[in-house]
Amino acid sequence: MSGEDAATQQQQQPQPEQEAQKPQDPPAPPKEQGNTPTTEERATISYRALVLTGYGGYDKIKLQVKTVPKPELQAGEVLVRVKACGLNFAELMGRQGLYDPLPSPPVTMGMEGAGVVEAVGDGVEDKQVGDRVIVLARSGVWQEVVVVPADRAIIMPDQMSFEEGAALPINYLTAYLMLFEMANIKPGKSVLIHMAAGGVGIAATQLCQAVQDVTIFGTASASKHETIAQGGVTHPIDYRTKDYVEEVRKISPQGVDVVLDPLGGSDTQKGYNLLKPMGSIIVFGAANGVTGQKRNLLALAKLWYHQLSLSSLKLMQANKAVGGFHLGYLKDEELITQTMVKLMEFYSQGKIKPQIDSRFHFEEVADAMRRMHDRQNVGKVILLPEPKKEEEKPKIPTESGEKEEKEEKAAAKETKEEATEEVKTEQD
């Protein structure tokens, strides 16, 4: 059974790269000889951050307020006030200890965001205070203030919102590099996109439309078919009730030219078998291995057991190509920068536009992760660093229907009853 929307990255889903490029807690000033002022004597800043305190369920991510000395930027660095952050499938896997590029807990997660430059270090000439930028990193972006190398802060187009800026980097870099650098998509070809309603799925669908006459097969639950069809998917397929291999064969008996596989396991074998001669499958995820809040060893063993195994001789005889993609391990900084520039051009030309599914404040990170884990999202789930107002509710699209609304009300009622019961217990 295939997985569904929410962008994934093989046991992970991305991020550029070197440890030096990881956003840090704003650094303390260097020590001086002689009378060094104490932390209390120096100016300090406080900021909110989402910290992974250990591997496990949603409760392992804690909202913390950190107070540190006011940062003194190193040459080539910028300080950014973050306005919006992106949630990726990699963070779901990282919480379970399944995402290798993420440092061990305690660690602030988050690989992408958007905000405003508040300070620049020596030698930074292409950024200035007040610039609206996209922030890209391996981890550490889920906090109100981040310090990053200036080349990891990309100027946003004027018409781009902070939420769109936070939604774009990981998903669109992944989709673009797979389609154009690895699969070399061309006019008249066909593509099977799994999890077509997720972040990478929507990005890939939009990018395919930049090429003439590309036929897109997209798997998603039936409730999302209208949305992905309007977005450009030629043939939506309900993977929950139908065999997507049979459905593709009905329309295209020879199969497809490109398969983008974020699922892993037996679905990789199915995708390989669906390829036409000269076709390519790009494996970039292992969503089939994430089945619950915590690590599921049985699911991981099953995923591993069913992984595609081929010899070079079989590949030669089949005239097919198998590729693997993981943004987190891509070391070509120039390629990443050039691709981001290209994506900014695509956005300005109206060829791509990130689709925002829902917005959650930092206090609601568990709800945000649950929405993605349960495959409810259509597009990107966004996290907002600003404190949540007491009466404010998560911004979830109305298309989710009355059923979700009733479930939310029931959950709220249950929480209220539990809280009342706790108070009664304390009073007894």
Side-chain angles (χ1 to χ4, degrees):
M1 179 67 70
S2 73
E4 220 233 326
D5 20 89
T8 91
Q9 283 330 329
Q10 173 178 7
Q11 246 185 341
Q12 32 253 111
Q13 178 192 30
Q15 206 42 9
E17 287 359 62
Q18 305 163 357
E19 250 349 271
Q21 295 174 339
K22 169 189 170 185
Q24 303 292 332
D25 292 347
K31 294 182 179 180
E32 300 177 359
Q33 295 181 351
N35 296 324
T36 303
T38 64
T39 300
E40 291 74 14
E41 294 171 333
R42 293 196 298 263
T44 60
I45 61 171
S46 295
Y47 60 92
R48 290 149 44 94
L50 290 175
V51 179
L52 178 67
T53 58
Y55 299 130
Y58 302 125
D59 61 321
K60 296 298 183 180
I61 302 179
K62 307 292 186 182
L63 176 58
Q64 298 180 359
V65 177
K66 298 185 178 183
T67 300
V68 299
K70 187 175 180 179
E72 292 186 359
L73 299 180
Q74 301 298 312
E77 292 183 334
V78 296
L79 183 145
V80 178
R81 175 72 57 174
V82 180
K83 301 295 185 180
C85 306
L87 172 62
N88 293 286
F89 206 83
E91 277 94 33
L92 272 66
M93 304 191 79
R95 196 194 69 237
Q96 297 185 6
L98 300 175
Y99 186 66
D100 292 340
L102 183 71
S104 300
V107 59
T108 299
M109 295 201 294
M111 300 180 293
E112 59 188 348
V116 179
V117 175
E118 288 197 343
V120 298
D122 292 339
V124 177
E125 299 179 353
D126 59 342
K127 310 291 186 317
Q128 59 185 2
V129 174
D131 281 346
R132 301 165 67 254
V133 295
I134 291 171
V135 174
L136 188 63
R138 183 189 296 273
S139 62
V141 180
W142 286 2
Q143 54 191 39
E144 289 181 303
V145 179
V146 296
V147 174
V148 296
D151 61 357
R152 282 290 153 264
I154 298 92
I155 299 291
M156 297 165 52
D158 292 339
Q159 67 271 35
M160 180 180 286
S161 69
F162 289 121
E163 293 175 3
E164 289 178 328
L168 188 143
I170 304 303
N171 293 158
Y172 283 83
L173 277 171
T174 297
Y176 186 97
L177 292 171
M178 288 193 298
L179 286 169
F180 294 101
E181 295 292 336
M182 297 192 75
N184 194 23
I185 190 71
K186 295 179 180 179
K189 298 297 184 179
S190 56
V191 181
L192 171 60
I193 300 174
H194 287 293
M195 299 167 68
V200 174
I202 289 175
T205 299
Q206 292 179 4
L207 288 168
C208 280
Q209 293 177 82
V211 182
Q212 188 176 4
D213 297 328
V214 172
T215 301
I216 304 172
F217 296 85
T219 64
S221 56
S223 63
K224 301 173 183 177
H225 282 192
E226 182 178 355
T227 300
I228 64 174
Q230 291 175 350
V233 172
T234 318
H235 303 291
I237 300 173
D238 182 5
Y239 72 93
R240 292 183 176 179
T241 61
K242 297 180 180 179
D243 184 332
Y244 66 82
V245 174
E246 292 182 2
E247 295 302 309
V248 170
R249 294 285 187 192
K250 287 178 184 178
I251 300 167
S252 178
Q254 288 186 317
V256 295
D257 297 294
V258 177
V259 175
L260 302 183
D261 174 31
L263 307 173
S266 59
D267 285 291
T268 305
Q269 180 69 62
K270 292 178 182 179
Y272 176 81
N273 292 338
L274 267 176
L275 290 178
K276 296 178 181 179
M278 306 302 292
S280 301
I281 180 171
I282 311 299
V283 183
F284 69 104
N288 286 337
V290 180
T291 59
Q293 271 200 55
K294 300 180 180 181
R295 185 185 311 187
N296 186 327
L297 296 179
L298 181 60
L300 293 173
K302 183 178 179 181
L303 182 77
W304 180 260
Y305 180 78
H306 290 290
Q307 281 288 21
L308 176 66
S309 178
L310 293 169
S311 66
S312 57
L313 178 61
K314 287 183 178 179
L315 285 172
M316 291 168 57
Q317 293 171 341
N319 288 298
K320 297 179 181 181
V322 178
F325 181 82
H326 192 306
L327 187 58
Y329 291 104
L330 185 61
K331 304 298 182 183
D332 192 336
E333 298 298 322
E334 184 177 354
L335 175 61
I336 291 172
T337 300
Q338 291 175 347
T339 304
M340 282 300 296
V341 171
K342 184 66 175 179
L343 291 172
M344 294 301 101
E345 293 176 357
F346 273 20
Y347 178 89
S348 297
Q349 295 166 1
K351 293 181 179 179
I352 62 173
K353 185 176 178 62
Q355 181 170 337
I356 308 302
D357 169 78
S358 49
R359 304 155 183 84
F360 295 84
H361 291 271
F362 273 5
E363 293 89 339
E364 305 162 316
V365 62
D367 295 328
M369 284 193 157
R370 189 176 294 109
R371 183 169 178 81
M372 177 173 282
H373 181 273
D374 293 343
R375 311 290 197 263
Q376 294 177 341
N377 60 302
V378 178
K380 193 75 169 186
V381 177
I382 295 295
L383 294 173
L384 302 175
E386 65 179 359
K388 178 187 176 183
K389 297 178 182 178
E390 189 171 342
E391 71 281 2
E392 192 173 353
K393 295 181 179 179
K395 297 178 182 179
I396 298 175
T398 55
E399 301 93 84
S400 54
E402 295 181 2
K403 181 178 179 181
E404 276 191 30
E405 185 177 352
K406 290 179 180 178
E407 290 176 350
E408 290 168 9
K409 289 181 178 179
K413 181 179 179 182
E414 183 179 346
T415 301
K416 184 176 180 180
E417 290 175 350
E418 290 176 355
T420 303
E421 187 63 33
E422 289 177 5
V423 172
K424 289 181 178 178
T425 303
E426 292 174 0
Q427 292 175 342
D428 289 343

